[in-house]
Amino acid sequence: MSASTTFDFAIIGAGIAGVSLAHALSVLALKQGKSLKIIVLEQESQPGYHATGRSAAMFAPFYGPAPIRALTRASADFFQSPPADFSASPLLSPRGELLIARPDQLPRLEAFVKEMGDSLALKRLSGQALQDLLPFMKPGYACAGVLDESGCDIDVHALLSGFLAQARAQGVEIRTGAGVTGLSRGDSREGNQETSHWRIQTRNAEAPVISARVVVNAAGAWADALGVLAGAETIGLQPKRRSALLVDPPAGQAIGHLPLVIDMDEEFYLKPDAGRLMLSPANEDPEVPCDAQPDELDIAICIDRVQRAFDLPIQRIANKWAGLRSFVADKSPVVGWSQRVEGFFWLAGQGGYGIQSSPALSRYAAALLLGQEPPSDILAEGLVPSDLLPERLTTTT
Ligand SMILES: Cc1cc2nc3c(=O)[nH]c(=O)nc-3n(C[C@H](O)[C@H](O)[C@H](O)COP(=O)(O)OP(=O)(O)OC[C@H]3O[C@@H](n4cnc5c(N)ncnc54)[C@H](O)[C@@H]3O)c2cc1C
């Protein structure tokens, strides 16, 4: 693209949200016979460096608020049958997700099953069945469980790489090292026409200024900060740190077949990960947008909670990390046009579910951006568009 190119869409953020949207927009434009100029601007030197590269990589259809569950169900087909040449290996592999409850947590387990409508995909397990499945669980710790057999591991690297490769093949430009530092809207003359566009100031030394008709805010934890740069409303986004660590499994125990095991009150979870166990205290500690690091206290709390439930001696921590899960008040994503500034679109607040919902959420956002009706298969899963609009949130500046 020449220095004077005006892009149709500048997507800010090359996490799963921005990259999946670039893919979905280019696919929809192709279907409509439109040629669109799309650029993704990323402040880091590689896509997926923040939340996207630090997740637990789960596809968990029963996790999250109702809009997320609808988007996750609507994403299942994509994960199971991605487009041709999208990925050399499957995007999903069976894992299962097991909620376990101590006697004092039983009422909450029952309430969860009731809320899910006694779904056939959920299998109840007795305390004995749990003990048989998890021989290193302390005897009598949990008295009941619910197994979601549809829970899977996601190959996040393959997913992100597939979106990136196919978007690039459609002409999308992915520009890294291009942190956006300024956004202003102005008019310019193209032939006989006055058009309105964004002037985007970036840290990229070679091409510091970019022009685009529409800016999409897919900046993850930084989405509210980017909104302020644009003069848009704020959505009350709160990044929350979640930490994780990798440890060796109990000696002599095969773990590869185990599901992700999560405490009923989401106080910890563990799952097999390449021969080791990934543990998390499932913390949600408020943070400012940053390159999140695990706090020593997070790690100590995690080990304490897990060891109350399991005989799991921990000699060595093979790896530890943290990432930011960014939520608005109702924990549902924010997708739609700004009510305050023209040509500014929100794609934020994916919280702890942004990978599993990305195929459907990106198709949904692409339809809105191109002035289409929301995809009917997504609405058929029960998504209510007004549940995602930025104007449902009361925080304004
Ligand atoms: C420990 C943990 C476990 C998780 N487990 C799961 C799970 O099992 N399943 C699931 O579906 N989800 C999970 N999640 C949530 C998931 O990772 C997020 O919802 C998702 O990655 C959010 O994607 P994103 O693109 O919005 O954000 P990000 O991946 O953070 O991407 C935003 C990008 O915007 C860039 N950016 C910000 N500001 C600017 C700027 N001014 N200019 C240019 N670029 C900018 C950032 O550098 C960043 O790369 C988990 C998250 C964590 C932390």
Side-chain angles (χ1 to χ4, degrees):
M1 300 281 170
S2 75
S4 60
T5 299
T6 294
F7 289 90
D8 295 296
F9 296 99
I11 301 170
I12 301 178
I16 198 71
V19 171
S20 59
L21 175 65
H23 172 263
L25 266 177
S26 62
V27 168
L28 191 55
L30 193 68
K31 266 193 199 149
Q32 295 180 345
K34 283 185 183 154
S35 161
L36 291 180
K37 292 192 275 278
I38 303 169
I39 188 166
V40 180
L41 298 169
E42 169 56 49
Q43 64 189 356
E44 304 293 349
S45 58
Q46 70 197 64
Y49 176 80
H50 288 286
T52 298
R54 307 174 190 209
S55 86
M58 278 301 288
F59 177 82
F62 291 90
Y63 190 45
I68 282 291
R69 298 200 302 269
L71 287 160
T72 303
R73 287 192 296 275
S75 295
D77 273 357
F78 184 97
F79 278 116
Q80 277 147 10
S81 314
D85 301 326
F86 190 87
S87 167
S89 52
L91 295 175
L92 292 186
S93 42
R95 170 64 56 207
E97 189 189 9
L98 174 62
L99 269 171
I100 60 170
R102 299 182 307 263
D104 62 296
Q105 294 173 316
L106 259 186
R108 292 189 293 285
L109 187 79
E110 293 305 333
F112 168 78
V113 173
K114 197 166 167 209
E115 193 193 341
M116 296 305 135
D118 280 314
S119 165
L120 289 178
L122 293 177
K123 194 170 147 192
R124 283 170 179 266
L125 297 187
S126 66
Q128 186 56 54
L130 290 178
Q131 202 72 59
D132 294 344
L133 180 65
L134 305 166
F136 60 110
M137 188 175 80
K138 291 197 167 157
Y141 173 79
C143 64
V146 174
L147 177 63
D148 166 18
E149 290 179 315
S150 62
C152 288
D153 282 336
I154 303 174
D155 185 337
V156 180
H157 177 71
L159 180 68
L160 188 71
S161 306
F163 281 138
L164 277 169
Q166 295 211 335
R168 281 188 174 120
Q170 298 296 335
V172 173
E173 183 177 344
I174 314 283
R175 196 174 291 175
T176 54
V180 171
T181 54
L183 285 168
S184 55
R185 196 141 174 102
D187 292 329
S188 68
R189 180 158 285 280
E190 280 181 17
N192 289 334
Q193 274 193 329
E194 279 279 299
T195 59
S196 192
H197 64 268
W198 288 98
R199 184 175 186 277
I200 307 170
Q201 187 77 40
T202 78
R203 287 216 169 85
N204 187 281
E206 282 164 33
V209 178
I210 289 158
S211 170
R213 281 181 238 286
V214 170
V215 161
V216 179
N217 182 354
W222 289 264
D224 254 344
L226 196 81
V228 169
L229 268 190
E233 61 276 66
T234 56
I235 57 171
L237 190 73
Q238 178 61 67
K240 294 185 174 176
R241 185 182 72 251
R242 177 160 286 190
S243 307
L245 56 148
L246 275 184
V247 300
D248 291 328
Q253 302 260 349
I255 55 155
H257 64 291
L258 294 181
L260 177 139
V261 180
I262 183 164
D263 163 72
M264 184 62 233
D265 293 324
E266 207 174 337
E267 289 197 334
F268 67 82
Y269 61 83
L270 53 90
K271 73 174 265 200
D273 186 335
R276 293 202 163 98
L277 277 175
M278 173 190 163
L279 317 181
S280 172
N283 51 327
E284 295 196 340
D285 297 307
E287 271 275 15
V288 293
C290 65
D291 188 353
Q293 301 300 322
D295 194 291
E296 284 308 316
L297 190 60
D298 301 348
I299 303 300
I301 289 173
C302 181
I303 292 175
D304 178 57
R305 288 179 183 172
V306 170
Q307 288 185 334
R308 274 190 227 168
F310 295 96
D311 280 319
L312 180 64
I314 295 174
Q315 255 97 45
R316 192 175 72 90
I317 294 173
N319 192 12
K320 58 184 175 177
W321 69 94
L324 299 179
R325 301 156 81 246
S326 298
F327 297 93
V328 296
D330 59 16
K331 294 199 154 185
S332 289
V334 182
V335 188
W337 294 101
S338 163
Q339 296 302 293
R340 189 176 286 189
V341 281
E342 198 193 331
F344 188 81
F345 188 92
W346 290 90
L347 179 58
Q350 291 84 343
Y353 337 96
I355 314 282
Q356 64 182 46
S357 56
S358 59
L361 195 60
S362 56
R363 273 197 299 124
Y364 178 83
L368 297 196
L369 280 162
L370 294 185
Q372 304 286 298
E373 289 299 316
S376 55
D377 64 304
I378 301 179
L379 298 183
E381 291 295 350
L383 184 78
V384 179
S386 57
D387 287 349
L388 304 190
L389 289 176
E391 52 266 41
R392 77 186 194 275
L393 302 160
T394 50
T395 317
T396 51
T397 51

